[in-house]
Amino acid sequence: MSDIKEFSPAKRRMYMLLSEYWIVLVFLLIYGIFIILEPLCFSLPFLSSTLNYMTEILILGVGVMFVVITAGIDLSIGPVEGAVGVGAALTMRSLVPVVGVPLAITAGVIVGILMGMVIGLLNGLIVTKMKLAPFIATLGMSVILTGSGYIFNNGLEVVGLPKVLARLGNMQFFGFIGTTTIVAWTVWLIFGIILKHTRFGVITYAYGSNPESTARAGINVDRHLIKVFMISSTLAALSGVLLIFRFNTGSPIAGANVTLYAIASCIIGGTSVLGGRGKMIGTLIGAAIISILVTGLVMLGVQTYWQQVATGLIIIFSVYADQLRQRNAFM
Amino acid sequence: MSKVLLKVSGVSKSFGHVQALKDVNFELNEGEVLGLVGDNGAGKSTFIKILSGVHRKDKGEIIFDGDTVDFSSPSESIEAGFETVYQDLALAPDLPIYSNMFLGREMLRKGILGKLGFVDKDGMRKSVEKNIKKLKATLNHVDQEVGTLSGGQRQSVAITRAVIWGKKVIIMDEPTAALGVEESAKVLEIVKELKQHGITVIFISHTMPHVLEVSDKICVLRLGFTVANLNAAETTYEEVVEYITGARSQIEG
Ligand SMILES: Nc1ncnc2c1ncn2[C@@H]1O[C@H](COP(=O)(O)OP(=O)(O)OP(=O)(O)O)[C@@H](O)[C@H]1O
Ligand SMILES: [Mg+2]
């Protein structure tokens, strides 16, 4: 009847669990080492600052994950943050005298999000209509956006924004959960549900698994891919707006380094760059690993450059482990 | 008695300098089975991809159900009532069997969740299980990823999908290529059953006994030309092979 290799069910389940969640163990291991080296890592303030640090990578990671699942990549997410940060901040600052603080802030947020949607639309159109590889399309876009971010305000940070921004952006709930953390985890949850339970999610996986088969099933794959790029850019824009709230400025250099960390967070979490596979929980853990490396090393007083070295090692190690797992699964 | 469902005349198609199809012609009644045969590279797959909306023809006319059709996308072909089992199967290997079977027409949850695009996974699983049983397909678990299936099982998935959704015409491009004797026999049974339900089938195969067993009509392609349209009941294995190899032809030159 069957020609699949049969494990005993218990052994199989054990193997599945381990191969799905070994990355959690990696996180716990890293955290455990930090706690041993510096017991203060086992504290609410440490947790709070890690959660806070993590928000940016998490939001970007959730968005770019959709693109990675389609076997694409979006290199423009960091620069979107910078350009949107400056664009939205300028909108707020120039509108405050005209319409007052609340409306100006609202308008800035809307402008920022719209910028993200338009950038995603452009990325999607370049990929689907001009038929450029996502790598090229978004590389070009990222350079354009970085330049634009500087042009908007002559390369300067946008300062002099209403103080209420930072007050809203740095509120603490239950003593350790910040505003941005709540936004980030909500985004993670909503988009996790979309990915796992909706038609949109199914088609995203299907496209990454085999774009031609997906098109032949009667699906308008170009339109889907455009939407996927819009999710990535729009979430990057949201993250850019949140940075304004957190730091009370709009900075063109915001997002300069985070693109690769966000992509790394999905990859560490098991999303395949070949497309078709990846789980939201993995991206959360990937983001947590990268973040705790930063906050933990800071706590230990180690130069944070070591965090980059460690993240790089973990990327290589985790993808290698994933490959081994896949090879086994398909035998 | 039965009406003409599909009339194809003078269809041609080239890819750059390669002219894959030069002059394809045949006529098929509702509920009939057409055996489409020809050597490797004769143009069989290219032709059926025109019917399924993957390729666009250059010239010629296709009349389906009384209307001239020229599908510009797979969805138009599917909507018109065509289902296709592609030679390369066109499955998504990372998705489970049930998702593949419902790809592009996912069953949605009832009520507000459905409106939001939530899929009804259990509903799909149950429906696929039922159909697998009905078609006696050798598939164990609807949650198994298609990429982990054997070649023959994958073929079963593609065939089952086409049969589940088939409304008017089911196209099968070498559906028995990866199948053993027993499984091939099942597919032939399925074709006969489809025919009994009034569904028209276009059956491509290199195995002539299979073609002769299920077909009403046989269209032989050679180098992009229809070189013969035969009545299956009146032809023989030898005659078909002669047309395929070019030893005989109904056309000039
Ligand atoms: N997308 C394409 N681009 C260029 N040439 C193509 C393309 N598709 C098919 N061809 C060419 O068209 C011709 C017919 O190919 P086709 O796949 O239709 O043959 P076939 O009859 O299905 O053969 P087989 O029995 O091997 O499946 C071949 O010469 C092939 O190389
Ligand atoms: Mg073929």
Side-chain angles (χ1 to χ4, degrees):
Chain A
M1 193 60 184
S2 135
D3 44 17
I4 329 154
K5 215 169 182 178
E6 294 287 351
F7 295 99
S8 75
K11 214 167 150 189
R12 195 180 161 82
R13 194 161 316 128
M14 195 49 206
Y15 173 77
M16 294 273 286
L17 270 177
L18 215 85
S19 67
E20 295 273 350
Y21 296 111
W22 66 273
I23 198 72
V24 180
L25 299 180
V26 173
F27 172 81
L28 292 176
L29 184 74
I30 295 171
Y31 190 28
I33 293 173
F34 281 140
I35 292 173
I36 292 166
L37 294 176
E38 174 52 86
L40 275 180
C41 285
F42 191 68
S43 66
L44 270 191
F46 177 77
L47 201 61
S48 174
S49 71
T50 306
L51 284 174
N52 216 16
Y53 182 84
M54 190 175 142
T55 57
E56 191 182 3
I57 295 175
L58 182 59
I59 295 176
L60 295 176
V62 166
V64 78
M65 183 184 174
F66 279 79
V67 181
V68 177
I69 290 175
T70 65
I73 196 152
D74 186 349
L75 296 174
S76 66
I77 47 177
V80 166
E81 277 193 320
V84 163
V86 176
L90 280 176
T91 309
M92 289 178 192
R93 197 173 65 186
S94 53
L95 283 181
V96 166
V98 191
V99 296
V101 171
L103 272 181
I105 291 178
T106 313
V109 172
I110 291 171
V111 166
I113 299 295
L114 283 177
M115 280 174 73
M117 293 173 76
V118 171
I119 295 163
L121 178 66
L122 289 174
N123 279 337
L125 288 172
I126 295 170
V127 170
T128 57
K129 304 302 170 199
M130 290 170 70
K131 311 256 179 243
L132 294 192
F135 185 93
I136 310 287
T138 59
L139 179 66
M141 182 58 77
S142 74
V143 180
I144 293 170
L145 291 174
T146 306
S148 311
Y150 290 115
I151 294 169
F152 289 155
N153 200 37
N154 299 316
L156 301 171
E157 278 198 341
V158 182
V159 291
L161 297 172
K163 288 276 177 293
V164 65
L165 280 168
R167 231 176 300 138
L168 288 170
N170 295 294
M171 283 191 294
Q172 295 279 320
F173 301 84
F174 311 110
F176 73 107
I177 300 175
T179 322
T180 50
T181 305
I182 291 178
V183 176
W185 285 64
T186 309
V187 163
W188 174 78
L189 188 66
I190 290 173
F191 283 87
I193 290 171
I194 290 175
L195 191 58
K196 183 147 190 231
H197 293 289
T198 69
R199 210 173 159 252
F200 188 89
V202 174
I203 294 173
T204 305
Y205 284 112
Y207 184 89
S209 192
N210 190 334
E212 179 64 28
S213 301
T214 310
R216 289 197 205 159
I219 292 160
N220 186 337
V221 288
D222 283 359
R223 199 186 317 157
H224 189 81
L225 206 55
I226 290 171
K227 286 184 197 161
V228 164
F229 276 103
M230 288 179 74
I231 287 180
S232 180
S233 288
T234 306
L235 287 184
L238 173 67
S239 179
V241 167
L242 286 179
L243 289 177
I244 303 177
F245 278 84
R246 230 162 97 195
F247 299 115
N248 226 67
T249 60
S251 168
I253 58 161
N257 298 316
V258 288
T259 304
L260 295 181
Y261 286 147
I263 295 168
S265 74
C266 351
I267 291 170
I268 291 173
T271 300
S272 165
V273 286
L274 302 176
R277 328 184 133 254
K279 293 209 170 105
M280 250 329 156
I281 184 85
T283 300
L284 180 76
I285 296 159
I289 288 176
I290 295 173
S291 306
I292 206 159
L293 281 172
V294 176
T295 50
L297 290 172
V298 167
M299 201 74 168
L300 296 181
V302 177
Q303 276 194 324
T304 49
Y305 306 117
W306 281 106
Q307 170 262 342
Q308 302 191 355
V309 176
T311 306
L313 287 173
I314 289 175
I315 292 172
I316 292 170
F317 169 70
S318 63
V319 174
Y320 179 64
D322 212 50
Q323 265 181 21
L324 288 182
R325 175 165 82 92
Q326 300 268 329
R327 237 174 272 160
N328 283 329
F330 280 110
M331 259 197 311
Chain B
M1 193 181 81
S2 48
K3 63 164 185 176
V4 176
L5 184 71
L6 186 62
K7 187 171 181 331
V8 174
S9 31
V11 168
S12 69
K13 168 79 191 172
S14 39
F15 301 100
H17 294 299
V18 184
Q19 190 158 14
L21 299 177
K22 297 185 182 113
D23 188 14
V24 179
N25 305 282
F26 65 82
E27 213 178 278
L28 194 59
N29 292 338
E30 195 169 17
E32 280 185 331
V33 179
L34 176 79
L36 186 60
V37 298
D39 234 330
N40 294 119
K44 306 179 294 294
S45 298
T46 305
F47 173 72
I48 62 104
K49 281 182 187 161
I50 289 174
L51 286 184
S52 69
V54 173
H55 294 321
R56 204 94 188 245
K57 65 180 161 57
D58 296 337
K59 287 203 201 98
E61 194 178 40
I62 299 174
I63 299 172
F64 177 64
D65 228 354
D67 299 316
T68 306
V69 294
D70 185 12
F71 304 131
S72 65
S73 71
S75 61
E76 285 181 14
S77 166
I78 290 168
E79 244 162 69
F82 287 84
E83 279 303 317
T84 308
V85 180
Y86 290 97
Q87 191 168 5
D88 62 12
L89 304 181
L91 300 169
D94 297 292
L95 265 48
I97 291 174
Y98 79 86
S99 283
N100 267 283
M101 299 236 186
F102 274 87
L103 190 55
R105 35 204 160 189
E106 287 73 14
M107 193 186 277
L108 295 178
R109 299 269 292 265
K110 295 203 170 53
I112 181 90
L113 285 179
K115 293 227 165 54
L116 289 170
F118 279 70
V119 292
D120 181 357
K121 294 183 188 177
D122 280 331
M124 290 192 276
R125 283 192 186 102
K126 283 208 188 90
S127 155
V128 169
E129 265 161 17
K130 204 181 71 200
N131 282 293
I132 285 177
K133 227 175 251 154
K134 206 167 83 190
L135 295 168
K136 304 191 190 72
T138 338
L139 300 166
N140 302 314
H141 203 303
V142 294
D143 276 313
Q144 194 176 346
E145 277 175 24
V146 163
T148 66
L149 295 174
S150 76
Q153 288 177 317
R154 273 180 237 188
Q155 206 139 23
S156 287
V157 173
I159 293 168
T160 308
R161 174 167 71 182
V163 172
I164 292 177
W165 298 103
K167 285 192 296 220
K168 291 181 182 162
V169 182
I170 296 184
I171 301 167
M172 298 185 176
D173 194 348
E174 304 200 21
T176 57
L179 300 184
V181 176
E182 206 174 312
E183 295 300 306
S184 296
K186 270 190 218 162
V187 173
L188 299 183
E189 283 314 307
I190 289 172
V191 173
K192 289 178 196 163
E193 201 155 308
L194 288 170
K195 186 182 142 99
Q196 262 161 23
H197 285 87
I199 291 183
T200 308
V201 179
I202 298 178
F203 184 85
I204 298 179
S205 174
H206 288 288
T207 315
M208 281 320 123
H210 290 173
V211 175
L212 287 166
E213 182 181 336
V214 295
S215 305
D216 297 297
K217 288 176 178 164
I218 295 176
C219 174
V220 186
L221 292 187
R222 183 170 164 75
L223 306 173
F225 288 98
T226 296
V227 292
N229 275 306
L230 306 165
N231 205 327
E234 293 160 8
T235 189
T236 60
Y237 179 93
E238 287 75 20
E239 193 185 22
V240 177
V241 172
E242 281 172 20
Y243 281 114
I244 291 174
T245 56
R248 248 177 199 262
S249 178
Q250 288 181 351
I251 61 168
E252 283 112 82

